[in-house]
């Protein structure tokens, strides 16, 4: 990465701080890439400056197959038929191609306004299930891609052990995902040695169907897992809920809360199919609901009970998951629009009269994304990491917009990209809509995808 921009102090027209707009603000960046208060700025960088958005759920390799599963294959096309196509694609990915795909994806994320990504990573081994000579080679390919692109990375190596709630062995196409508990904990140890200001390592349990109860207990009891975020796919599909009920005698969220100490370190990804009691239980725990509206719509998953969850004080964040879309605007827009279609009402996320939907969604996704990332990010205050985005104040979409309407206009009033500049850890990665290395990264991506 380029060095932090600590030699310059910056002046902004309006800075998003403490959940609202501060006028005529100035800041500088210290040697560690953190924000420092300044009395006056030398360089004016824009009228609208916001914290960068954390992307709390990503499967990077799937970016290269986005759009290739949109032809009807059978009458009951669903998540499960899509998964078969995904397995076939996953079988041809190696460390070199993974790095190329992920770097391209991460450039796209930065240009869209994401400044950190939580990578839910389960492509560990060779396609036949045998380890690479360097066992962590696939994980390190993602680390290298994030460093190339300049995005912050929370790497979440995934424990994947069984092919269903009944404990069946992994299928042939799942073998490269698999670890036993000892091998998984060794992987965590190895990756923790690479952690720094730009790389955080957490824990991911693929799902209840893929992690037997004894393994879940052993992993959660390990000293290696007692700090940092814990992510899990849960209650995404009706079939998953039915299987959990049939074999474990409880719904997935209900079972998890009865068998683990779920707290603010946890991110429950999707959590689509919930009872009222489960919704309230997640909210009360402090866990983050990891919502991925464009992927959930693309796969036909269903709709999260947003209104009841927000009324219960629940935390949420957004992710682009399979990357059928790479845009926090679209994720937040469709989070709200799904609720409007479901209820035939408007302005669902804004739970109080006069509240802004855009501000409510942006504020909530920043806070939940930071928690899911395991870092104190998502804020522009002294001492916080300098992860920020600058909107294009020359855009016609923002003409005559004031502090009360700019976020609503950005999220709901057009599709023209408005993220002009992006700083991560005090380093400019995007200026004037251009990433500093996008041509080289895109050329390599095209070569790799052609070869696949």
């Amino acid at each position: 990465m380029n060095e932090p921009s600590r030699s310059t102090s910056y002046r902004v027209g309006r800075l998003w701080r403490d959940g609202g707009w501060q006028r005529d603000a100035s800041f500088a960046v210290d040697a560690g890439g953190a924000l420092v208060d300044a009395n006056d700025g030398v360089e004016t960088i824009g009228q609208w400056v916001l914290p960068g958005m954390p992307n709390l759920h990503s499967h990077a390799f799937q970016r290269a197959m986005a759009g290739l599963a949109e032809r009807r294959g059978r009458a009951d096309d669903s998540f499960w038929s899509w998964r078969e196509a995904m397995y076939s694609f996953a079988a041809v990915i190696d460390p070199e191609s993974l790095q190329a795909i992920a770097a391209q994806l991460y450039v796209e994320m930065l240009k869209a306004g994401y400044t950190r990504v939580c990578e839910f990573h389960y492509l560990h081994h060779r396609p036949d299930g045998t380890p690479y000579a360097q066992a962590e080679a696939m994980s390190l390919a993602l680390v290298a891609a994030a460093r190339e692109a300049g995005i912050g990375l929370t790497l979440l190596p995934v424990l994947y052990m069984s092919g269903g709630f009944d404990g069946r062995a992994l299928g042939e196409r799942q073998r490269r995902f698999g670890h036993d508990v000892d091998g998984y904990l060794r992987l965590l140890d190895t990756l923790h040695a690479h952690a720094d200001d730009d790389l955080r390592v957490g824990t991911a349990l693929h799902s209840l169907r893929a992690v037997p109860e004894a393994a879940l207990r052993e992993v959660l009891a390990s000293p290696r897992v007692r700090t940092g975020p814990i992510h899990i796919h849960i209650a995404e599909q009706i079939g998953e809920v039915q299987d959990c009920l049939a074999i474990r005698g409880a719904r997935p969220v209900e079972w998890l809360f009865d068998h683990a100490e779920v707290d603010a370190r946890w991110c429950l990804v999707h959590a689509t199919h919930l009872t009222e009691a489960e919704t309230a239980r997640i909210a009360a725990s402090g866990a983050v609901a990891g919502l991925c509206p464009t992927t959930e719509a693309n796969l036909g998953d269903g709709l999260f009970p947003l209104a009841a969850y927000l009324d219960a004080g629940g935390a949420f964040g957004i992710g682009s998951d399979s990357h059928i879309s790479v845009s926090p605007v679209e994720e937040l827009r469709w989070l709200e629009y799904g609720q409007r279609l479901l209820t035939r009402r408007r302005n669902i996320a804004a739970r109080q009269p006069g509240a802004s939907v855009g501000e409510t969604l942006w504020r909530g996704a920043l806070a939940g994304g930071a928690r899911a990332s395991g870092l104190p990010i998502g804020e522009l205050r002294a001492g916080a990491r300098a992860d920020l985005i600058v909107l294009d104040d020359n855009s016609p979409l923002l003409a005559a917009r004031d502090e009360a309407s700019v976020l609503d206009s950005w999220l709901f009033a057009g599709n023209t990209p408005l993220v002009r500049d992006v700083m991560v850890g005090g380093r400019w990665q995007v200026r004037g809509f251009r990433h500093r290395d996008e041509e080289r990264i895109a050329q390599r991506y095209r070569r790799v995808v052609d070869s696949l």
Side-chain angles (χ1 to χ4, degrees):
M1 288 188 187
N2 53 320
E3 286 299 309
S5 305
R6 58 185 179 273
S7 61
T8 304
S9 57
Y10 300 99
R11 183 171 56 251
V12 302
R14 294 171 183 84
L15 184 72
W16 183 267
R17 178 176 283 179
D18 298 327
W21 293 110
Q22 176 183 336
R23 291 193 175 194
D24 301 320
S26 296
F27 66 88
V29 180
D30 69 17
L35 291 170
V36 178
D37 284 336
N39 292 328
D40 194 18
V42 173
E43 178 185 344
T44 300
I45 57 173
Q47 286 298 312
W48 307 104
V49 177
L50 292 147
M53 180 61 68
N55 183 327
L56 58 62
H57 193 63
S58 166
H59 305 298
F61 76 94
Q62 293 178 21
R63 180 66 183 113
M65 65 169 284
L68 298 181
E70 305 305 318
R71 289 180 178 272
R72 183 165 177 169
R74 61 192 197 193
D76 61 344
D77 260 355
S78 67
F79 166 86
W80 306 102
S81 55
W82 171 88
R83 190 175 71 159
E84 294 303 308
M86 182 271 289
Y87 283 165
S88 298
F89 187 77
V92 301
I93 304 295
D94 62 13
E96 181 181 5
S97 57
L98 180 59
Q99 181 176 343
I101 294 167
Q104 174 62 28
L105 169 67
Y106 296 160
V107 167
E108 294 175 15
M109 284 187 185
L110 286 164
K111 293 176 69 175
Y114 292 117
T115 51
R116 173 163 288 266
V117 56
C118 297
E119 188 63 48
F120 197 99
H121 170 57
Y122 54 82
L123 291 185
H124 297 301
H125 310 304
R126 299 179 190 275
D128 64 1
T130 59
Y132 287 97
Q134 185 179 23
E136 69 276 19
M138 293 291 275
S139 295
L140 293 183
L142 292 165
V143 174
R147 297 196 192 285
E148 270 192 277
I151 198 168
L153 175 65
T154 296
L155 182 61
L156 301 163
V158 171
L159 178 62
Y160 201 130
M161 297 182 67
S162 58
F165 283 103
D166 56 6
R168 76 190 75 159
L170 296 177
E172 181 178 351
R173 288 180 292 181
Q174 296 171 318
R175 289 175 188 163
R176 73 179 308 185
F177 310 161
H179 279 104
D180 60 22
V181 171
D182 288 342
Y184 177 71
L185 293 177
R186 284 196 301 273
L187 176 64
L188 290 184
D189 276 345
T190 301
L191 294 175
H192 274 292
H194 294 270
D196 58 19
D197 289 343
D198 297 310
L199 173 64
R200 176 85 156 134
V201 178
T203 303
L205 309 168
H206 180 271
S207 55
L208 293 182
R209 69 177 183 271
V211 180
E213 180 179 352
L216 181 144
R217 293 184 184 278
E218 185 175 355
V219 168
L220 295 181
S222 169
R224 303 170 178 90
V225 181
R226 287 180 185 161
T227 61
I230 303 169
H231 290 223
I232 185 170
H233 290 137
I234 200 158
E236 180 179 4
Q237 289 286 323
I238 291 291
E240 174 193 352
V241 175
Q242 293 171 336
D243 288 349
C244 193
L245 275 167
I247 295 173
R248 297 196 180 181
R251 297 167 59 86
V253 170
E254 177 188 15
W255 189 95
L256 180 65
F257 273 83
D258 288 345
H259 292 82
E261 295 182 9
V262 179
D263 57 21
R265 295 171 55 213
W266 286 73
C267 178
L268 307 188
V269 182
H270 304 306
T272 305
H273 300 286
L274 303 177
T275 64
E276 291 183 7
E278 289 170 334
T279 301
R281 205 168 180 183
I282 296 173
S285 73
V288 176
L291 308 179
C292 309
T294 62
T295 291
E296 290 152 6
N298 184 265
L299 298 179
D301 289 346
L303 290 167
F304 180 81
L306 182 66
Y309 186 69
L310 293 179
D311 287 345
F316 73 93
I318 54 167
S320 54
D321 194 347
S322 68
H323 314 300
I324 200 73
S325 174
V326 184
S327 166
V329 169
E330 192 166 12
E331 300 300 340
L332 293 174
R333 182 180 295 179
W334 279 102
L335 178 57
E336 169 71 18
Y337 281 178
Q339 304 300 310
R340 295 185 186 190
L341 291 169
L342 182 67
T343 63
R344 300 186 298 280
R345 297 288 187 273
R346 300 187 69 252
N347 301 326
I348 305 302
R351 305 307 296 159
Q352 301 298 323
S356 157
V357 175
E359 290 189 3
T360 299
L361 291 173
W362 191 264
R363 188 184 298 116
L366 284 174
R371 193 180 300 176
S373 300
L375 290 165
I377 56 177
E379 299 180 86
L380 298 181
R381 53 171 176 76
R385 183 178 165 91
D387 294 350
L388 58 88
I389 62 175
V390 183
L391 300 186
D392 178 19
D393 45 65
N394 289 321
S395 171
L397 292 179
L398 298 184
R401 296 307 190 261
D402 60 12
E403 295 164 6
S405 60
V406 66
L407 272 173
D408 289 329
S409 296
W410 181 29
L411 297 184
F412 295 103
N415 293 308
T416 302
L418 292 184
V419 177
R420 188 186 67 204
D421 307 310
V422 180
M423 177 184 284
V424 181
R427 309 169 183 96
W428 289 113
Q429 306 297 347
V430 176
R431 298 303 305 259
F433 299 101
R434 302 288 295 178
H435 183 272
R436 55 178 172 75
D437 199 19
E438 67 178 82
E439 290 83 3
R440 181 191 65 83
I441 289 172
Q443 288 174 3
R444 183 185 59 185
Y445 172 81
R446 285 191 290 267
R447 289 196 304 269
V448 165
V449 173
D450 283 345
S451 70
L452 294 178

